[in-house]
Amino acid sequence: SLDVIKAIKKTVDIELEVFIHGALCVSFSGNCLISSILNKRSGNRGECAYNCRLPYKLIKDKTVIGEESYLMSAKDLMTIEYIDQLIEAGIDSFKIEGRMRKKEYVTQTTMAYSQAIDAYYEDKQIDFKTEIDKLKRVFNRDYTKGYMLKEVPKDLNNDFRPNHMGVPMGKVLGYEKNLAWVQLSEDLKNGDGFRIVGQHDYGNMVTFMKRKNNTIIKQAFKGETIYLEVKETVYPGSILYKTLDSDLEKDLVMYQSTSFKVVPITGIASAFVGKPFTLSLSDGENTIEVSSDIPLEYAMNQPATDASIATGLSKLGGTPFYFDELTAYTDGCCFIPVKTLNEVRRIALEELIALRIQIKTPRILSYTLNNGFEYNPQFKLTARVHTLEQLNVAYRLGLDEIYYEDIVEVNPSDYPNTTVRPVTKRIIEDIQGFEIKGPTMVSELGGIHQNQKRYPLVTDEFINITNIHTAALISNYRVERISLSSELDQDHVLNFSERYFKRYGTYPNLEMVVYGHKDLMISKYCPVAKTFGYKPNCKLCFKDQYYLQDHIGKYALLNDGHCNMRVMDPTPLLLIDHLEALKKARIHTFRLDFTTETEKEMKSIVYAFKLALEKKPYRIELSRFRMGRFEQ
């Protein structure tokens, strides 16, 4: 939220950047594994397959609640009306999300937000209604102002459609023989894109229109009722949307040309016999001056004039500059070789560009990475549990350590001869009252920093440790063991310890999740509250078990205790067949994650892993399982 951004700006000496427009991740960034686990395309590495844009059903226990819809698809972020608040919060850099967007989108959004920023600094008003209408025409999934500006989570989602909405521009009154009889609420012309949304959806480019008297037309106007060629059956009452505005796209073409000039500059040229040819350029903030290597000579035939110098210097090529003002001073007697004029102009422009993009000298933070692990070669079988009942089952099954989610109230002294550790939440928006009170599993970096009393820590996989240098850094903060990231493939996992040893001269203490329904997402947005129209903290998910369902299976929805919704993989991870390889790779702690498992299921899984660790025959009854990124 903007309040947190302001607090960070006030507390931490670092430049801040925020997204201001475009597609949103419905999951907390860096905490989404759904594309990585299901599609082998890591969202954290820019390869997201957009599983959140697919349709899902909401299930309560075994009952379907409503029809299939796009329950996890977020609206697009738009903050143009609030740019003044963002600037005043001290944000240093604004970013427009434009991955996989066409150039017209990039052009229009950049222009709109640049205009809003300039208007703020120049104390001017702009017509936001017009700018927003243009933004909608290049791409929109409907808009939200986002959590940064305290949007209610249920209003973040557009469950109707996951792709470009366009703008409404009419209604279907009838249909016959590939022609829709439509009433227009704005102009329509050949080359525009349209979509008809109703009982049946159909989209295309406008190529044929006619009036009722059979006159073929290339353009129809607001208020007219015309026939529009539609090659699939559509139904009366359907809404006509414009998805491509050909007029707007033509208006944007000029801005996409490399010859389009956007930066005004002033120039002063000086040409006198016996002196070097000199050019001074300024963009209002940066000024440079460049001179020729040799002095100018008398002209034998055609001496340089003010006009000829100005003409030669005005050829600014593919640069972003244009001359707002150019003054040339000359004695009218000198000769300027074309090569000299071009060279001076080229160097001057290059130096001005270099000044404009000059990057501040970075602050170098010197930090010597040292190993902080006390290597422990003892093999352990641990479990993480979601409920108190599961904790008690795990304790009775004699596991070496048990991690319990802190939605459970636990007295560790009730579990003698076993180490039980709370697991901190992955999302902590307010650190008031946050305290590490004993041995703990931490799920985010702030928890490591807040460990003021230096209790021993284990890091969860969502710290996302993927390389030996991060492991070494983390080990120096009273971390006795780290869980490897779920995004590491088999090669990285099996060679991690040896790579660490070669660099640091000892082995790390590594833990790995070898069973469990993986956390695919964690989101502030809740599809349960959205479906029932409730606000946060409705507690429905504590009364019944809800699921999202698609063609793969049922994704259990679990509340993290702060009304953030966890989306669980319906197919569990299972690496029991790889335990010996992991042991040889000096991974000594193997974790079983239990979330929705019954006591019977827990017993079956624990017994199988205990037998496997002793190299005894085992049996595990799972109809389906996956090996995650490990099988790559």
Side-chain angles (χ1 to χ4, degrees):
S1 70
L2 202 56
D3 292 339
V4 173
I5 290 171
K6 290 176 181 177
I8 293 171
K9 185 67 179 178
K10 188 181 294 184
T11 308
V12 185
D13 179 21
I14 196 169
E15 292 185 352
L16 300 183
E17 179 171 273
V18 299
F19 278 113
I20 54 172
H21 191 94
L24 286 175
C25 294
V26 70
S27 172
F28 281 93
S29 297
N31 277 260
C32 185
L33 295 176
I34 189 166
S35 174
S36 184
I37 298 298
L38 302 189
N39 304 92
K40 303 298 186 289
R41 290 169 54 181
S42 170
N44 288 329
R45 295 178 170 91
E47 302 165 342
C48 183
Y50 302 110
N51 302 71
C52 55
R53 303 293 182 193
L54 300 176
Y56 296 92
K57 292 178 182 177
L58 182 67
I59 310 289
K60 182 175 118 175
D61 295 324
K62 296 182 180 180
T63 304
V64 177
I65 308 296
E67 296 297 319
E68 185 176 70
S69 64
Y70 300 96
L71 276 172
M72 297 300 286
S73 183
K75 298 176 182 177
D76 280 2
L77 179 67
M78 182 183 68
T79 64
I80 192 168
E81 295 174 280
Y82 308 95
I83 210 73
D84 55 340
Q85 295 182 39
L86 307 186
I87 293 171
E88 290 167 5
I91 296 165
D92 301 279
S93 177
F94 296 136
K95 184 183 289 188
I96 294 168
E97 194 283 326
R99 192 169 79 100
M100 299 173 68
R101 291 278 186 271
K102 60 184 183 180
K103 57 185 181 294
E104 290 80 10
Y105 168 91
V106 176
T107 305
Q108 184 58 54
T109 51
T110 305
M111 286 175 58
Y113 279 90
S114 293
Q115 185 180 351
I117 293 166
D118 291 343
Y120 171 83
Y121 285 111
E122 295 167 8
D123 198 22
K124 295 179 180 178
Q125 297 292 321
I126 67 169
D127 183 356
F128 284 119
K129 184 177 180 181
T130 298
E131 293 305 316
I132 291 170
D133 181 69
K134 291 178 183 178
L135 291 171
K136 286 181 176 179
R137 290 168 191 268
V138 290
F139 193 92
N140 84 89
R141 293 187 179 94
D142 203 357
Y143 286 125
T144 172
K145 61 181 182 292
Y147 296 132
M148 183 164 59
L149 293 153
K150 298 186 178 178
E151 186 75 276
V152 177
K154 69 181 181 65
D155 292 336
L156 195 83
N157 165 254
N158 177 4
D159 59 359
F160 172 61
R161 187 173 296 279
N163 48 18
H164 178 36
M165 296 286 293
V167 292
M169 61 158 302
K171 185 168 66 174
V172 176
L173 303 179
Y175 172 84
E176 186 178 358
K177 295 180 180 178
N178 289 344
L179 291 174
W181 181 238
V182 296
Q183 185 175 32
L184 301 178
S185 56
E186 71 166 69
D187 297 353
L188 183 66
K189 62 167 47 177
N190 283 354
D192 287 344
F194 72 92
R195 178 169 292 278
I196 293 173
V197 177
Q199 187 176 339
H200 174 71
D201 284 14
Y202 174 80
N204 210 330
M205 300 283 287
V206 178
T207 57
F208 179 84
M209 296 182 290
K210 69 176 184 177
R211 294 195 171 96
K212 199 167 188 178
N213 61 8
N214 287 325
T215 303
I216 296 173
I217 54 177
K218 293 184 178 180
Q219 181 171 8
F221 300 96
K222 177 180 178 179
E224 280 196 280
T225 303
I226 53 103
Y227 286 108
L228 171 66
E229 185 178 52
V230 175
K231 295 181 179 179
E232 295 178 12
T233 303
V234 294
Y235 297 89
S238 300
I239 303 300
L240 176 66
Y241 289 85
K242 183 179 286 188
T243 55
L244 187 151
D245 190 316
S246 57
D247 282 344
L248 176 60
E249 302 223 343
K250 286 176 184 175
D251 290 343
L252 296 174
V253 168
M254 60 178 288
Y255 301 108
Q256 295 154 13
S257 169
T258 56
S259 63
F260 179 68
K261 308 300 182 183
V262 293
V263 181
I265 58 174
T266 58
I268 300 175
S270 177
F272 292 90
V273 173
K275 295 183 178 180
F277 174 58
T278 301
L279 175 62
S280 173
L281 297 180
S282 175
D283 63 0
E285 294 183 10
N286 304 287
T287 301
I288 57 92
E289 185 174 286
V290 176
S291 298
S292 62
D293 293 334
I294 57 175
L296 300 178
E297 299 178 354
Y298 278 103
M300 300 298 293
N301 295 312
Q302 295 180 325
T305 64
D306 298 353
S308 66
I309 294 172
T311 299
L313 292 177
S314 295
K315 298 173 182 178
L316 301 180
T319 70
F321 304 119
Y322 68 91
F323 277 115
D324 190 40
E325 185 179 342
L326 175 59
T327 305
Y329 297 100
T330 180
D331 55 13
C333 303
C334 62
F335 169 69
I336 308 176
V338 173
K339 181 179 179 182
T340 298
L341 186 144
N342 289 344
E343 186 73 2
V344 168
R345 183 191 63 219
R346 180 186 65 79
I347 294 173
L349 291 170
E350 288 178 354
E351 290 189 4
L352 183 58
I353 289 172
L355 279 177
R356 287 174 58 84
I357 65 173
Q358 189 174 47
I359 299 172
K360 298 176 184 176
T361 303
R363 292 180 295 170
I364 305 299
L365 302 179
S366 59
Y367 193 96
T368 302
L369 287 176
N370 297 306
N371 169 68
F373 291 114
E374 293 181 13
Y375 181 58
N376 183 354
Q378 179 183 355
F379 289 110
K380 288 185 178 182
L381 186 62
T382 68
R384 173 175 171 164
V385 297
H386 181 63
T387 67
L388 183 60
E389 291 76 14
Q390 289 176 338
L391 173 58
N392 292 329
V393 172
Y395 178 67
R396 291 196 298 270
L397 291 172
L399 291 164
D400 297 302
E401 286 190 30
I402 306 169
Y403 314 116
Y404 61 92
E405 295 174 16
D406 66 357
I407 58 173
V408 179
E409 292 289 336
V410 172
N411 182 359
S413 63
D414 293 341
Y415 302 90
N417 304 317
T418 299
T419 301
V420 293
R421 303 180 191 242
V423 182
T424 63
K425 291 183 174 61
R426 282 151 58 194
I427 310 301
I428 302 171
E429 296 186 54
D430 186 356
I431 63 169
Q432 294 297 322
F434 179 87
E435 184 182 358
I436 302 291
K437 298 178 180 179
T440 301
M441 172 178 273
V442 290
S443 302
E444 43 74 52
L445 291 172
I448 297 174
H449 176 73
Q450 289 292 108
N451 185 21
Q452 305 297 333
K453 296 183 180 179
R454 306 285 288 174
Y455 289 112
L457 303 177
V458 174
T459 64
D460 194 9
E461 58 189 325
F462 278 96
I463 297 285
N464 244 349
I465 296 172
T466 59
N467 63 76
I468 62 172
H469 306 297
T470 306
L473 175 64
I474 293 295
S475 73
N476 285 279
Y477 289 87
R478 200 65 174 92
V479 173
E480 61 182 19
R481 188 166 65 248
I482 63 169
S483 301
L484 292 177
S485 169
S486 294
E487 297 216 79
L488 286 180
D489 61 25
Q490 186 170 348
D491 175 72
H492 282 86
V493 170
L494 297 183
N495 290 289
F496 197 98
S497 286
E498 289 304 321
R499 288 170 180 162
Y500 193 96
F501 182 84
K502 288 178 182 178
R503 174 64 179 81
Y504 298 105
T506 187
Y507 291 105
N509 292 323
L510 301 181
E511 180 165 325
M512 188 161 177
V513 178
V514 290
Y515 167 81
H517 293 271
K518 304 294 289 185
D519 273 77
L520 298 181
M521 286 189 200
I522 183 168
S523 179
K524 196 170 186 174
Y525 160 76
C526 173
V528 179
K530 165 72 178 184
T531 299
F532 290 102
Y534 289 168
K535 293 181 179 179
N537 296 306
C538 64
K539 306 295 184 186
L540 286 178
C541 55
F542 288 109
K543 300 171 185 174
D544 299 285
Q545 179 59 59
Y546 287 87
Y547 303 87
L548 294 176
Q549 185 176 43
D550 66 2
H551 65 286
I552 293 175
K554 291 165 62 177
Y555 304 77
L557 300 176
L558 304 179
N559 193 317
D560 78 334
H562 281 175
C563 207
N564 296 309
M565 189 60 73
R566 297 164 57 193
V567 180
M568 313 304 295
D569 190 350
T571 305
L573 174 81
L574 183 66
L575 298 179
I576 194 168
D577 293 337
H578 297 275
L579 287 184
E580 288 306 306
L582 295 173
K583 287 161 71 175
K584 289 177 183 177
R586 295 183 184 272
I587 297 171
H588 293 124
T589 304
F590 304 103
R591 191 171 103 210
L592 313 174
D593 278 0
F594 297 117
T595 48
T596 58
E597 286 82 0
T598 63
E599 179 175 350
K600 180 181 178 181
E601 290 168 333
M602 287 179 65
K603 286 180 177 179
S604 170
I605 291 160
V606 171
Y607 288 150
F609 272 91
K610 284 189 171 185
L611 290 170
L613 286 172
E614 295 172 2
K615 298 184 182 181
K616 295 179 180 178
Y618 59 85
R619 181 183 178 188
I620 193 163
E621 295 182 5
L622 284 175
S623 57
R624 296 176 61 198
F625 63 89
R626 70 171 87 251
M627 290 185 288
R629 300 306 294 257
F630 190 78
E631 64 182 335
Q632 280 189 308

